[in-house]
């Protein structure tokens, strides 16, 4: 919950049924700070890429609240938000990796990936099988580059990365496994302030991969 650019409070839950707690959490946050939905300017949400069911249920819930209360909702790319958080963290720690590599678990041995070249305005992202991603990374980076890996998909690629001689040469403390909620909020605020960004009462999930039904 943010007021202007000041974080009033955050709540994090790791429950597998976290989406079912979403409405009570929002209600509790507003009540604690003597607010109601009429005081909310917009809602920012991590729109993916991510797990199919979690995205679908969470976004459907927020879309319902936004539509019923006529509040704009802003979808934020979770991979981009994680990368921007890491950029800020490395600057604060005076760390200068050549590349930031964000990996999120896409399940079925697939990873959502983002490779950011810190020496150029280059950025690439997508979803690949973990072995195909490691090959992609080898083809993308320059030899002897310093790498910073982060995200909940790193652990599932550790063996393939090690076999390819690609390990994180920079290790800031307490790297997040997903984009922090504060970064999602800040990204949402930037998008909300951008007049070219559409403002609606609905966002669509960015699953990041094809799902078979």
């Amino acid at each position: 919950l943010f007021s202007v650019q000041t974080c009033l409070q955050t709540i994090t839950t790791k429950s597998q049924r976290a989406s079912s707690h979403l409405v009570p959490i929002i209600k509790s946050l507003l009540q604690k700070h003597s607010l109601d939905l009429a005081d909310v300017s917009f809602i920012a949400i991590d729109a993916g890429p991510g797990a199919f069911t979690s995205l679908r249920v969470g976004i459907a819930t927020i879309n319902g609240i936004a539509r019923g209360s006529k509040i704009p909702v802003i979808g934020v790319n979770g991979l981009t938000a994680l990368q921007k958080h890491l950029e800020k963290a490395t600057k604060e720690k005076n760390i200068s990796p050549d590349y930031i590599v964000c990996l999120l678990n896409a399940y079925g041995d697939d990873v959502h990936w983002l490779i950011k070249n810190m020496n150029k305005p280059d950025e690439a992202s997508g979803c690949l099988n973990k072995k195909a991603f490691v090959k992609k990374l080898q083809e993308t980076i320059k030899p002897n580059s310093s790498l910073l890996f982060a995200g909940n998909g790193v652990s599932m690629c550790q063996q393939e990365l090690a076999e390819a001689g690609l390990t994180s040469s920079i290790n800031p403390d307490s790297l997040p496994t997903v984009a922090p909620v504060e970064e999602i909020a800040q990204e949402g605020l930037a998008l909300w302030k951008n007049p070219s960004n559409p403002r609606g009462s609905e966002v669509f999930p960015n699953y990041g991969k094809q799902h078979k039904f």
Side-chain angles (χ1 to χ4, degrees):
L1 183 63
F2 273 67
S3 174
V4 189
Q5 295 193 44
T6 302
C7 179
L8 298 179
Q9 185 179 351
T10 64
I11 295 177
T12 302
T13 175
K14 295 183 179 180
S15 168
Q16 292 183 345
R17 298 181 59 84
S19 57
S20 65
H21 304 154
L22 186 55
V23 172
I25 287 173
I26 293 173
K27 183 178 179 180
S28 174
L29 273 173
L30 292 173
Q31 289 178 342
K32 183 172 181 179
H33 296 278
S34 301
L35 300 170
D36 56 37
L37 285 172
D39 299 309
V40 176
S41 299
F42 72 95
I43 300 173
I45 184 170
D46 185 339
F52 177 79
T53 300
S54 298
L55 282 178
R56 182 179 60 178
V57 173
I59 290 177
T61 301
I62 292 300
N63 282 343
I65 294 172
R67 188 177 300 171
S69 304
K70 298 182 179 179
I71 300 171
V73 59
I74 305 294
V76 176
N77 185 299
L79 264 178
T80 301
L82 177 58
Q83 171 249 312
K84 290 189 176 182
H85 171 78
L86 293 170
E87 281 195 57
K88 294 174 185 176
T90 53
K91 288 179 181 178
E92 289 174 358
K93 296 175 180 289
N94 293 318
I95 299 171
S96 301
D98 294 315
Y99 295 88
I100 287 178
V101 182
C102 299
L103 297 174
L104 297 179
N105 188 351
Y107 302 93
D109 282 340
D110 294 338
V111 289
H112 303 293
W113 59 271
L114 183 151
I115 304 170
K116 171 68 174 180
N117 185 336
M118 300 300 291
N119 301 309
K120 296 180 180 180
D122 294 347
E123 179 183 309
S125 62
C127 183
L128 288 169
N129 174 272
K130 61 182 182 179
K131 291 183 179 179
F133 163 73
V134 171
K135 183 178 179 181
K136 173 73 175 179
L137 183 59
Q138 287 177 304
E139 295 170 348
T140 301
I141 65 172
K142 294 181 179 180
N144 303 315
S145 296
S146 57
L147 305 173
L148 171 62
F149 290 92
N152 61 19
V154 176
S155 59
M156 62 183 289
C157 297
Q158 280 185 338
Q159 180 177 341
E160 289 78 10
L161 290 168
E163 290 174 352
L166 300 170
T167 57
S168 187
S169 52
I170 295 176
N171 297 288
D173 296 332
S174 304
L175 288 178
T177 56
V178 294
V181 292
E182 295 87 352
E183 194 64 45
I184 296 295
Q186 294 290 351
E187 279 295 294
L189 179 60
L191 291 171
W192 184 68
K193 287 182 174 180
N194 186 344
S196 66
N197 188 67
R199 298 185 184 185
S201 58
E202 183 177 27
V203 297
F204 296 93
N206 171 19
Y207 296 119
K209 65 183 289 187
Q210 295 292 325
H211 290 273
K212 297 180 180 180
F213 299 95

